[in-house]
Amino acid sequence: QQQVKQSPQSLIVQKGGISIINCAYENTAFDYFPWYQQFPGKGPALLIAIRPDVSEKKEGRFTISFNKSAKQFSLHIMDSQPGDSATYFCAASTSGGSNYKLTFGKGTLLTVNP
Amino acid sequence: DGGITQSPKYLFRKEGQNVTLSCEQNLNHDAMYWYRQDPGQGLRLIYYSQIVNDFQKGDIAEGYSVSREKKESFPLTVTSAQKNPTAFYLCASSLLANTGELFFGEGSRLTVL
């Protein structure tokens, strides 16, 4: 049973464009939603995270939009750059953000063309 | 520099052999984790440890074993009982198990021939 569904699997965007990655979840007990960024041959790194008490969180060019009623959250990358080309994972967990309860999406491979 | 060191980066083994992947952290984190990453499958938790001498099974623990004798170290053994061991293995740590950011190592790619 996949508890966090991520789409699309891959995404190609032109430099300067907006990249949008979507995730949907089923478990209404989830209360922590991080996004991780992974470059080839490296481990993932935390990019940005949100809790359900807010609908949006912005850090630089990266924004998480959260829709609690629809059980969906998305990552928006504004002014996408070739250096943003990476795999992005959404995740969700319960109990205030327990790392051992993190459920990851299957990932989105983003390619930003120059 | 603080971080997580995984070794070896690449490992080839024959079917039926046990292999041990090393994970060391100097972040003074209490919690450590092992994940498996397969193409198009996301990250799946194998084992985690919240304190020394204690560890818990994750979602896909069958065929794997771990130990946590020191705070800094959390080695993973892939046993011959693991039916499909070829994968990318990631070690991670966090200050506490119940909150905060996961810090990942650069991974170990195991290929079983």
Side-chain angles (χ1 to χ4, degrees):
Chain A
Q1 180 186 2
Q2 184 186 355
Q3 295 191 55
V4 178
K5 293 184 179 180
Q6 184 171 347
S7 63
Q9 281 189 320
S10 62
L11 178 63
I12 299 174
V13 173
Q14 292 301 119
K15 179 182 176 181
I18 302 173
S19 303
I20 301 175
I21 304 170
N22 300 300
C23 284
Y25 62 95
E26 301 162 3
N27 187 348
T28 55
F30 284 149
D31 57 7
Y32 174 66
F33 304 90
W35 285 87
Y36 281 80
Q37 178 189 55
Q38 183 180 30
F39 293 106
K42 303 292 185 181
L46 180 66
L47 185 63
I48 187 172
I50 196 169
R51 295 189 184 273
D53 52 342
V54 295
S55 60
E56 186 175 283
K57 183 174 181 179
K58 184 175 181 179
E59 290 185 2
R61 297 184 293 109
F62 300 90
T63 299
I64 299 179
S65 296
F66 183 77
N67 186 328
K68 190 174 182 178
S69 60
K71 293 185 287 185
Q72 295 176 346
F73 58 109
S74 60
L75 176 70
H76 296 234
I77 306 174
M78 311 300 288
D79 186 26
S80 298
Q81 300 296 313
D84 296 329
S85 296
T87 299
Y88 293 81
F89 294 96
C90 63
S93 73
T94 60
S95 303
S98 298
N99 286 315
Y100 53 89
K101 294 181 186 291
L102 269 175
T103 298
F104 285 87
K106 292 189 175 184
T108 297
L109 178 61
L110 171 66
T111 302
V112 181
N113 288 329
Chain B
D1 286 337
I4 298 178
T5 301
Q6 289 188 241
S7 63
K9 198 169 180 68
Y10 300 96
L11 186 59
F12 296 86
R13 279 294 182 267
K14 291 183 179 179
E15 200 172 314
Q17 290 182 328
N18 291 355
V19 299
T20 297
L21 307 179
S22 170
C23 178
E24 303 278 333
Q25 56 102 354
N26 60 5
L27 299 168
N28 200 31
H29 285 173
D30 289 305
M32 297 187 74
Y33 315 80
W34 275 104
Y35 285 89
R36 171 176 172 145
Q37 184 175 12
D38 296 285
Q41 293 299 314
L43 284 75
R44 293 181 290 170
L45 183 64
I46 304 172
Y47 268 99
Y48 67 95
S49 168
Q50 298 185 67
I51 56 172
V52 174
N53 293 322
D54 185 59
F55 47 83
Q56 307 294 330
K57 292 181 179 180
D59 300 318
I60 56 165
E62 185 175 352
Y64 299 98
S65 66
V66 294
S67 63
R68 187 87 186 275
E69 297 177 0
K70 299 186 299 181
K71 187 176 183 178
E72 313 80 55
S73 179
F74 191 42
L76 173 74
T77 297
V78 184
T79 76
S80 56
Q82 169 49 234
K83 295 178 182 178
N84 186 18
T86 295
F88 189 54
Y89 291 90
L90 287 160
C91 179
S93 71
S94 64
L95 191 58
L96 297 171
N98 60 356
T99 190
E101 177 181 350
L102 279 175
F103 290 83
F104 285 88
E106 295 200 338
S108 292
R109 186 167 297 281
L110 172 64
T111 302
V112 176
L113 306 172

